[in-house]
Amino acid sequence: MSIAAAASSGARARSLTCVIASVTLATLNYGITFPLLALILERQGVEKGLIGLSTAASAMAVIVSAPISSRLMLALGPRRLLLGAMLLSAVIYGLLPTFPNYWTWFPLRFILGSCGSVIWVASEAWINTMAPDEKRGRIIAIYATASSAGMALGPLLLLITGSSGFPPFIVAAAFSLVGCVITLLAGHAVPRLEGRPSVHFLRFLLLAPMPYLLNLLFAAVGEAFHTFFAIYAVDHGTSEQRAFMIMTVMSLGGIALQYPLGWLADHMNRRLLFLLCVLVSIGGFLLVPFAIGAEYLGLALFFFCGGIFAMLYSFGVIMLGERFTGSDLATASAVFTLMWGLGTLTGPVLAGAAMDHLGSPGLIWTAVALLLLYLPIPVVSWLRSLRKRPAPAQT
């Protein structure tokens, strides 16, 4: 019997609450450090291109460390791995202001990115293992909502701590240590992912291409949009302040709509809902040129479409939990994180090249083209789900 099946509902709820709270603090720290480090480097006179290269060290770390994360999780278990990653993160947050040098930060940011990769892999495997399938949509939605809220609150905390000296880094280190304490409070209902995966690491791409390609696409489109949307907005006669407001509204949509969509995923054909989310996302990007100047109606559209698009990531995590268990789930989660890292690297490059050739509309066409390329996959998946429905009982 699995840990999830054997645990009481109370023990399972406690376990899930603790891991979700811990990963929320981790994402809160990333919401603090990404803008913080960029601001510090800019004050030092570092060129923006080099700042972007420094940021890319974290994404490269995700790609490099993802295959190792699954092996470590099978050897240590999700809880020990989470504790180790959060403790090491706290140390790195202390070293960053101690050695505020561009070149010194490269290895430190690489280690920090590796810790983030481990935290995501371990937490998603933990959550998917403990979540019963009939509630998986809602639980993953709560996880995604909490993570999004943590990332969104990070910049707000900088208003309190400021961006100079040790205070913001001390806060980040403290959050990591609090995350360790919360992880220890999870009790005994912690999954043990033992054994060896059934296939080689990269063979998982062939076993479940739908969630992996989805995460690659989600990261590519999302990172490209966050990187270039302010430029796109200004080119279309909108102020930077309006662009930042729109991006905030989209993030709020991702926070507010996750649970209602997760509830729907547990009460209707998940593949149909997934297909509808992809279609709405395509339509939303196509409407950006018209909505960007519309005052309140435009903001409402960005709120709604931002929430729908954010749900795509949750669907990827849900699909992994439906498809894999045990040691396979540990490795599958690592491959999932690897695809996210690849998406964050490739998306801005593709969008930047498109904008060089097509002007600012290249950003929108890149997002739409990637979603359209992916669209046949959810269509086929939905049609297959219809064929799998049980036949009505004969009377």
Side-chain angles (χ1 to χ4, degrees):
M1 182 179 293
S2 68
I3 294 289
S8 67
S9 59
R12 184 189 292 119
R14 177 181 176 180
S15 175
L16 287 167
T17 300
C18 287
V19 67
I20 290 173
S22 297
V23 77
T24 300
L25 290 174
T27 57
L28 179 62
N29 278 344
Y30 278 86
I32 293 172
T33 53
F34 271 74
L36 173 64
L37 298 182
L39 286 170
I40 293 173
L41 290 176
E42 187 175 38
R43 283 201 295 263
Q44 293 177 356
V46 178
E47 296 179 1
K48 289 180 173 58
L50 291 177
I51 294 175
L53 189 61
S54 176
T55 304
S58 296
M60 286 299 299
V62 172
I63 296 172
V64 173
S65 62
I68 304 171
S69 299
S70 61
R71 297 177 185 175
L72 288 174
M73 184 154 50
L74 293 176
L76 301 174
R79 176 152 60 185
R80 290 179 182 175
L81 196 58
L82 269 177
L83 287 171
M86 287 187 290
L87 282 173
L88 183 54
S89 295
V91 173
I92 299 301
Y93 290 133
L95 291 176
L96 284 168
T98 306
F99 303 99
N101 177 274
Y102 178 80
W103 298 108
T104 306
W105 278 6
F106 261 99
L108 294 179
R109 296 193 77 164
F110 186 89
I111 296 171
L112 197 60
S114 299
C115 290
S117 174
V118 167
I119 290 169
W120 291 320
V121 170
S123 62
E124 288 176 2
W126 182 337
I127 293 167
N128 250 328
T129 301
M130 298 303 298
D133 190 63
E134 67 275 10
K135 296 181 179 179
R136 192 180 306 277
R138 281 164 286 179
I139 290 171
I140 298 302
I142 292 171
Y143 158 70
T145 300
S147 297
S148 298
M151 188 68 75
L153 287 173
L156 293 179
L157 278 176
L158 286 176
L159 296 175
I160 300 173
T161 64
S163 60
S164 301
F166 278 80
F169 295 99
I170 293 174
V171 169
F175 281 151
S176 291
L177 295 176
V178 171
C180 291
V181 174
I182 293 173
T183 303
L184 290 172
L185 294 175
H188 299 293
V190 178
R192 293 191 297 269
L193 306 175
E194 301 172 340
R196 295 174 60 87
S198 57
V199 296
H200 183 268
F201 185 82
L202 293 179
R203 287 286 301 277
F204 279 84
L205 292 171
L206 301 177
L207 293 179
M210 186 161 65
Y212 293 129
L213 291 175
L214 172 63
N215 204 25
L216 175 69
L217 174 141
F218 176 84
V221 173
E223 194 70 16
F225 197 82
H226 282 91
T227 301
F228 293 112
F229 180 70
I231 297 173
Y232 173 91
V234 171
D235 285 348
H236 281 70
T238 301
S239 66
E240 287 186 4
Q241 289 74 16
R242 168 79 176 178
F244 295 148
M245 181 187 298
I246 289 173
M247 294 172 72
T248 301
V249 166
M250 291 181 69
S251 297
L252 291 174
I255 294 171
L257 298 185
Q258 287 289 301
Y259 189 82
L261 290 169
W263 183 89
L264 281 175
D266 289 334
H267 291 84
M268 65 176 286
N269 186 320
R270 283 179 183 169
R271 295 301 182 262
L272 173 58
L273 181 61
F274 175 47
L275 173 59
L276 292 174
C277 287
V278 174
L279 290 172
V280 170
S281 297
I282 294 171
F285 280 111
L286 288 173
L287 289 173
V288 165
F290 307 98
I292 196 169
E295 193 66 29
Y296 298 109
L297 183 61
L299 290 178
L301 179 68
F302 282 114
F303 179 88
F304 178 75
C305 292
I308 296 293
F309 179 74
M311 186 63 191
L312 295 183
Y313 180 85
S314 298
F315 269 116
V317 180
I318 291 169
M319 292 175 202
L320 289 186
E322 291 174 339
R323 177 67 177 81
F324 300 107
T325 59
S327 59
D328 280 351
L329 180 58
T331 306
S333 298
V335 179
F336 192 69
T337 300
L338 169 66
M339 299 304 284
W340 182 88
L342 289 172
T344 59
L345 283 179
T346 57
V349 173
L350 291 173
M355 293 173 77
D356 285 338
H357 289 84
L358 303 173
S360 58
L363 172 62
I364 302 304
W365 292 121
T366 299
V368 171
L370 290 173
L371 286 164
L372 285 174
L373 284 173
Y374 183 78
L375 182 59
I377 298 177
V379 170
V380 171
S381 177
W382 171 57
L383 293 175
R384 287 179 175 173
S385 72
L386 294 178
R387 291 199 293 268
K388 290 180 181 178
R389 282 184 177 180
Q394 299 294 323
T395 58

